């Protein structure tokens, strides 16, 4: 159990899950969808930022299929109204709106969105992810939108992991040279995106292993909205106070398109923020039952040794 997920500076770290040195670490959080970071490890994300580490977040996919059609239309209409209000003449914006509106009005069940609609939906999720990262305290140069190609099919069925996906992942890791990588080890995601994203990271890390900076890089796995690590597997548990639980909730709320009944809800009717809070509270309760300290909530991590 540690309140210092990036390591506690100037401390004996022999019984701590993370190294004390370097005191300020470069951290790279991979988020398969644009909200997995805040849902799965929002408390830890905020703690790392508050404790002065250089935190980067990488959104691996656009998440565009998980936006409702009426949301896409609302944002497209906003552009038209914005242009009108400020006297901006844009025939292209008008055409895109008309094309999107015509398509969505006549869209049949399970019909694949036209590219314009997919792009609008992707921009919605990009804006929400950026808002969350700004809420945590990151600047734009610490926010990376990868848009991995395997995801961009427009359907639930994705392409297999490709060389380009792995290369993009390697390039980002090499650019940041992190001391810590956080990745989603949550393979219960019903659409398989998390598994492909994790495989891309594993392949990238394997290929980069000979590089000297990788000697100082630890890979931590979190789990998402669908399941949690078994208590016997957890290697780092980060406690949260009631205030931190509330701050995490507000961060999750930045993802407005994923609230109030989302497109891919799964069999669990709870909102994502409710799932996260319930799961974090259950983890804390398990530690309490084991006779350890009592906390409002806890986020759990397992270290991957490569």
């Amino acid at each position: 159990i540690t309140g210092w997920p990036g390591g506690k500076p100037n401390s004996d770290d022999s019984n701590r899950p993370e190294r004390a040195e370097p005191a300020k670490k470069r951290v790279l959080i991979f988020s398969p969808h644009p909200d997995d970071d805040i849902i799965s490890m929002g408390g830890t994300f905020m703690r790392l930022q508050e404790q002065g580490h250089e935190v980067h977040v990488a959104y691996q996919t656009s998440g565009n299929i998980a936006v409702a059609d009426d949301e896409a239309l609302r944002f497209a209409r906003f552009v038209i109204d914005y242009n009108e209000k400020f006297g901006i003449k844009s025939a292209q914006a008008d055409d895109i709106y008309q094309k999107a509106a015509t398509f969505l009005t006549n869209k049949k069940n399970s019909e694949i969105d036209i590219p314009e609609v997919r792009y609008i939906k992707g921009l919605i999720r990009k804006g929400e992810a950026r808002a969350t990262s700004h809420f945590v305290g990151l600047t734009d140069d610490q926010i990376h939108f990868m848009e991995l190609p395997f995801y961009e099919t427009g359907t639930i069925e994705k392409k297999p992991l490709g060389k380009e996906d792995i290369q993009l992942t390697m390039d980002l890791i090499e650019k940041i040279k992190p001391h810590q990588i956080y990745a989603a080890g949550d393979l219960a995601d019903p659409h398989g995106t998390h598994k492909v994203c994790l495989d891309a990271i594993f392949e990238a890390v394997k290929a980069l292993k000979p590089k000297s900076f990788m000697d100082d890089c630890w890979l931590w796995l979190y789990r998402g909205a669908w399941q949690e690590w078994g208590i016997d597997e957890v290697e780092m548990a980060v406690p949260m106070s009631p205030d931190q639980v509330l701050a995490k909730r507000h961060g999750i709320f930045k993802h407005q398109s994923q609230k109030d009944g989302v497109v891919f809800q799964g069999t669990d009717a709870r909102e994502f923020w409710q799932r996260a809070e319930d799961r974090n509270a259950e983890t804390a309760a398990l530690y309490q039952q084991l006779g350890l300290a009592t906390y409002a909530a806890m986020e759990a991590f397992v270290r991957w040794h490569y």
Side-chain angles (χ1 to χ4, degrees):
I1 300 172
T2 180
W4 299 83
K8 188 172 185 180
N10 308 315
S11 300
D12 174 14
D13 57 10
S14 51
N15 290 313
R16 291 180 178 276
E18 252 298 349
R19 305 146 287 174
E21 300 300 327
K24 300 294 182 225
K25 294 181 174 65
R26 286 184 302 279
V27 178
L28 176 55
I29 298 170
F30 280 106
S31 182
H33 298 99
D35 55 359
D36 286 310
D37 54 336
I38 193 73
I39 290 171
S40 306
M41 55 170 290
T44 305
F45 185 2
M46 292 181 199
R47 195 72 71 89
L48 288 162
Q49 171 65 16
E50 285 161 8
Q51 289 171 352
H53 301 287
E54 183 191 315
V55 184
H56 293 259
V57 63
Y59 298 104
Q60 292 170 279
T61 71
S62 67
N64 56 18
I65 65 164
V67 176
D69 293 341
D70 59 348
E71 278 285 289
L73 207 51
R74 180 165 74 92
F75 274 80
R77 181 74 228 186
F78 174 84
V79 175
I80 301 300
D81 292 344
Y82 180 95
N83 287 349
E84 201 177 283
K85 189 72 180 170
F86 293 104
I88 301 165
K89 298 274 186 285
S90 175
Q92 281 176 303
D94 295 343
D95 288 348
I96 290 166
Y97 173 71
Q98 290 304 333
K99 194 173 176 183
T102 304
F103 170 78
L104 291 172
T105 304
N106 301 301
K107 184 179 173 182
K108 295 174 180 63
N109 276 348
S110 75
E111 189 176 350
I112 298 173
D113 284 334
I114 56 173
E116 288 84 352
V117 171
R118 287 217 309 274
Y119 298 153
I120 293 166
K121 289 181 175 183
L123 286 171
I124 290 168
R125 297 214 67 184
K126 195 173 185 176
E128 292 170 347
R130 190 182 283 116
T132 300
S133 292
H134 288 166
F135 173 74
V136 173
L138 269 54
T139 54
D140 282 340
D141 61 337
Q142 294 166 285
I143 308 166
H144 309 271
F145 294 100
M146 299 179 75
E147 296 185 1
L148 294 179
F150 84 87
Y151 184 88
E152 299 302 323
T153 61
T155 69
I156 293 171
E157 194 69 34
K158 306 300 178 209
K159 286 185 283 195
L161 181 67
K163 284 181 182 169
E164 199 183 346
D165 303 304
I166 297 165
Q167 191 60 53
L168 285 166
T169 308
M170 285 172 64
D171 291 348
L172 185 61
I173 294 172
E174 195 155 14
K175 179 183 167 189
I176 293 165
K177 296 181 171 56
H179 301 99
Q180 281 189 327
I181 293 174
Y182 288 88
D186 179 356
L187 305 184
D189 160 32
H191 305 300
T193 299
H194 284 205
K195 171 140 187 13
V196 184
C197 285
L198 188 62
D199 286 345
I201 294 165
F202 283 164
E203 290 298 322
V205 163
K206 208 187 302 176
L208 289 169
K209 195 175 178 181
K211 304 265 182 181
S212 59
F213 74 88
M214 290 300 288
D215 295 340
D216 294 323
C217 181
W218 288 16
L219 175 53
W220 290 99
L221 301 180
Y222 61 81
R223 283 196 166 166
W226 311 98
Q227 65 179 154
E228 184 55 283
W229 295 108
I231 200 80
D232 57 318
E233 299 171 291
V234 178
E235 291 177 81
M236 178 162 69
V238 180
M240 295 158 71
S241 68
D243 284 354
Q244 288 165 327
V245 171
L246 201 55
K248 175 174 172 173
R249 184 193 300 179
H250 289 150
I252 296 172
F253 281 177
K254 300 289 180 192
H255 293 273
Q256 293 175 348
S257 70
Q258 302 305 296
K259 280 186 85 276
D260 308 321
V262 297
V263 179
F264 297 112
Q265 187 80 36
T267 53
D268 191 333
R270 293 173 299 171
E271 297 262 343
F272 283 126
W273 67 270
Q274 292 171 316
R275 298 184 203 190
E277 285 187 18
D278 290 349
R279 198 182 65 245
N280 295 160
E282 283 162 17
T283 303
L286 277 171
Y287 274 88
Q288 186 188 1
Q289 286 162 26
L290 289 168
L292 296 161
T294 302
Y295 296 100
M298 274 181 166
E299 292 172 341
F301 301 87
V302 168
R303 188 177 162 203
W304 182 267
H305 297 271
Y306 52 86

